[in-house]
């Protein structure tokens, strides 16, 4: 089996490699290709990746290349984890929206739109290269904003599926609190990428006992603290929202907070500098502890599980993925990309039935889906007016004066990445 990782020079890659090494029986990789245009970073990451495989007794071969066509040729699955513009672009995404009193974040609001505009054309170009070289390969997208990027891939007819680590993070956290194995925890996870709620926590499978009320009663303070949300809000909702709902439920508070501290991008950039120094040490043969602070916890386990199921291996039968709605949430278009539990196999993902949602959730989901429609249109076709309409439609913006200012800022900060600007 051959896997290719586009963006393989990321400092996060050793986390993936460690998961591939530990779970080699689930996903038996014979060749892992790390693809990245940043040659110096790629060699540092590739060297550590080879040492991790060697230490854990994995017999697979690790290849590094900057040639996308050569790297994806013959791959059974291609994983996308690229960041167009790097941490510098992310830093801008997280700062200029604050000038208008709007959240600055890499996947939500104006910053998320900027990232989508930079990313979608690049991802579609890579996907076309995959299709020309190996049309049967699965494309697994980690690249944010996952919902918009996955929808772009699916609409272009690619064999693609999106993956986020929010659900597996909750699964692992709840398993620890309940003192059970993670595999025993089945989530009623529903929404869009980075806009989801856990409406039930079932033990043993989709039809198992819902222990969410007990979980909140016994561990509500810990759950609320992790989410940076008030405990009484969690109790009133009776569900566990993802961390990203904080940008909606506490927008102004978050803006005040972001204005008083360095951006997350600045923090990550400093970590990356230190990580690359560590990766250059020929004695290092395991992922360093610092990598855990980099973000993306449990992505490796989720990626192995998903790839194994798609490629006919020993993956879990039910997984949370990003895929077409196809009637699962009847108030959204069939071609909306939703994030829900699905049955996953060699033919892809089929969402499990979802119980009717309360208007508290459907209204926000419908609004953000409409924004994603407009955001994808802007990413595919460009144009100042399309950017303005996407920003105006976003629930966190919604005022023409803000949308106008943010449009100017977005274009000014991203001209080098926007062919039409």
């Amino acid at each position: 089996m051959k896997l290719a990782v586009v963006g393989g020079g990321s400092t996060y890659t050793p986390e993936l490699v460690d998961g591939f090494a530990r779970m080699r029986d689930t996903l038996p990789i014979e060749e892992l290709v790390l693809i990245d245009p940043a040659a110096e970073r790629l060699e540092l990451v590739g060297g550590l990746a080879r040492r991790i495989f060697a230490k854990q007794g994995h017999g697979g071969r690790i290849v590094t290349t900057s040639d996308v066509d050569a790297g994806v040729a013959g791959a059974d699955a291609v994983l996308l984890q690229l960041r167009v513009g790097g941490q510098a672009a992310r830093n801008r995404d997280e700062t200029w929206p604050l000038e208008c009193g709007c959240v600055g974040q890499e996947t939500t609001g104006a910053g998320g739109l900027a990232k989508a505009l930079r990313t979608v054309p690049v991802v579609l170009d890579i996907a076309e290269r995959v299709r020309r070289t190996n049309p049967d390969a699965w494309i697994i997208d980690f690249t944010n904003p996952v919902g918009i990027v996955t929808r772009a891939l699916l609409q272009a007819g690619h064999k693609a599926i999106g993956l986020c680590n929010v659900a597996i993070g909750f699964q692992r956290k709840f398993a620890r609190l309940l003192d059970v194995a993670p595999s025993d925890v089945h989530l009623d996870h529903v929404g869009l990428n980075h806009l989801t709620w856990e409406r039930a926590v079932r033990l043993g499978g989709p039809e198992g006992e819902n222990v969410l009320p007990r979980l909140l009663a016994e561990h509500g303070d810990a759950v609320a603290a992790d989410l940076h949300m008030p405990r009484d809000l969690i109790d009133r909702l009776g569900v566990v929202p993802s961390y990203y709902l904080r940008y909606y439920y506490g927008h102004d508070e978050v803006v005040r907070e972001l204005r008083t501290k360095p951006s997350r991008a600045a923090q990550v950039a400093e970590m990356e500098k230190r990580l690359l120094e560590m990766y250059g040490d020929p004695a290092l043969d395991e992922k360093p502890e610092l990598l855990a602070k980099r973000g993306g916890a449990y992505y490796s386990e989720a990626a192995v599980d998903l790839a194994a199921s798609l490629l006919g291996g020993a993956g879990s039968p039910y997984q949370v993925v990003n895929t077409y709605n196809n009637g699962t949430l009847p108030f959204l278009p069939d071609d909306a990309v939703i994030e829900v539990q699905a049955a996953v196999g060699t033919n892809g993902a089929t969402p499990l039935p979802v119980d009717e949602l309360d208007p508290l959730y459907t209204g926000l989901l419908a609004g953000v889906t409409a924004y994603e429609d407009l955001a994808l249109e802007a990413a595919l076709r460009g144009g100042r007016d399309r950017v303005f309409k996407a920003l105006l439609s976003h629930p966190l913006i919604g005022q023409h004066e803000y949308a106008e200012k943010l449009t100017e800022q977005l274009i000014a900060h991203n001209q080098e990445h926007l062919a039409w600007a």
Side-chain angles (χ1 to χ4, degrees):
M1 183 182 298
K2 175 180 176 179
L3 260 62
V5 180
V6 180
S10 167
T11 56
Y12 178 73
T13 297
E15 172 69 32
L16 277 179
V17 172
D18 177 73
F20 294 154
R22 287 186 289 104
M23 303 173 72
R24 55 186 175 273
D25 292 338
T26 302
L27 188 69
I29 299 172
E30 296 169 299
E31 183 176 356
L32 176 64
V33 183
L34 306 180
I35 306 167
D36 203 291
E40 186 175 350
R41 285 173 62 113
L42 184 59
E43 286 312 307
L44 290 174
V45 172
L48 175 56
R50 293 184 186 100
R51 295 192 296 273
I52 290 173
F53 263 30
K55 181 178 181 180
Q56 299 197 30
H58 195 297
R61 184 167 72 109
I62 294 179
V63 177
T64 58
T65 182
S66 60
D67 187 332
V68 174
D69 294 325
V72 302
D76 296 285
V78 178
L79 283 60
L80 304 181
Q81 59 166 27
L82 57 151
R83 182 182 292 281
V84 180
Q87 294 298 333
R90 176 181 178 176
N91 186 65
R92 292 191 291 271
D93 293 344
E94 293 178 344
T95 51
W96 54 262
L98 295 174
E99 297 173 19
C100 290
C102 296
V103 158
Q105 211 276 332
E106 66 162 338
T107 63
T108 300
L113 177 61
K115 193 171 196 302
L117 297 183
R118 293 193 303 269
T119 304
V120 166
V122 175
V123 165
L124 289 179
D125 176 68
I126 292 168
E128 285 300 329
R129 292 167 180 263
V130 173
R131 179 151 54 190
R132 288 197 302 267
T133 307
N134 184 12
D136 292 328
W138 277 101
I139 297 176
I140 300 175
D141 177 53
F142 301 168
T143 299
N144 281 319
V146 167
I148 294 173
V149 173
T150 302
R151 188 170 180 181
L153 288 166
L154 290 172
Q155 286 188 177
H158 296 291
K159 203 174 163 185
I161 194 163
L163 183 64
C164 182
N165 71 327
V166 167
I168 193 172
F170 275 131
Q171 182 198 46
R172 298 298 198 268
K173 188 177 301 178
F174 295 160
R176 288 195 302 272
L177 293 173
L178 295 166
D179 195 25
V180 298
S183 59
D184 288 337
V185 176
H186 182 94
L187 302 176
D188 178 359
H189 177 103
V190 63
L192 310 177
N193 180 242
H194 289 186
L195 194 74
T196 54
W197 297 265
E198 311 304 329
R199 297 195 303 162
V201 178
R202 301 187 183 279
L203 296 184
E207 305 302 323
E209 177 193 4
N210 178 21
V211 297
L212 179 57
R214 172 162 65 88
L215 180 72
L216 292 179
E218 297 177 359
H219 303 286
D221 287 343
V223 171
D226 281 345
L227 298 173
H228 297 274
M229 294 184 193
R231 166 70 187 273
D232 64 343
L233 173 62
I234 307 300
D235 288 340
R236 292 175 74 181
L237 292 173
V239 301
V240 179
S242 79
Y243 174 87
Y244 292 90
L245 265 299
R246 183 170 181 250
Y247 299 120
Y248 295 83
Y249 294 161
H251 177 273
D252 292 354
E253 177 188 0
V254 173
V255 168
R256 289 192 295 269
E257 176 186 306
L258 293 174
R259 282 173 164 168
T260 63
K261 65 180 185 179
S263 69
R264 174 64 179 165
Q267 297 172 37
V268 170
E270 183 59 32
M271 282 183 218
E272 290 194 334
K273 181 180 177 181
R274 292 163 59 195
L275 285 168
L276 288 171
E277 291 173 354
M278 293 177 181
Y279 295 173
D281 179 357
L284 183 67
D285 57 6
E286 60 186 11
K287 61 179 184 180
E289 290 185 11
L290 178 61
L291 186 55
K293 299 180 181 179
R294 167 68 177 77
Y298 307 115
Y299 250 132
S300 57
E301 285 90 341
V304 169
D305 209 12
L306 179 55
S309 293
L310 294 173
L311 300 176
S316 303
Y318 304 114
Q319 298 172 45
V320 173
V321 297
N322 286 261
T323 191
Y324 269 151
N325 178 38
N326 283 337
T328 306
L329 302 180
F331 57 93
L332 295 182
D334 284 349
D335 66 350
V337 166
I338 60 174
E339 186 172 292
V340 292
Q341 283 277 8
V344 182
T346 54
N347 292 324
T350 302
L352 300 184
V354 173
D355 290 340
E356 184 177 358
L357 284 168
D358 187 282
L360 179 64
Y361 312 119
T362 61
L364 186 53
L365 290 173
V368 175
T369 297
Y371 152 75
E372 290 190 349
D373 289 347
L374 294 168
L376 182 54
E377 183 75 2
L380 293 173
R381 301 179 63 191
R384 188 186 180 286
D385 284 348
R386 293 189 181 93
V387 173
F388 172 79
K389 289 176 182 177
L391 290 167
L392 185 64
S393 73
H394 200 290
L396 296 182
I397 300 168
Q399 297 183 54
H400 72 88
E401 183 179 354
Y402 289 170
E404 188 70 45
K405 291 179 181 178
L406 291 169
T407 298
E408 297 298 334
Q409 290 273 48
L410 187 154
I411 294 172
H413 284 293
N414 290 278
Q415 279 187 327
E416 65 183 298
H417 302 292
L418 305 177
W420 50 268

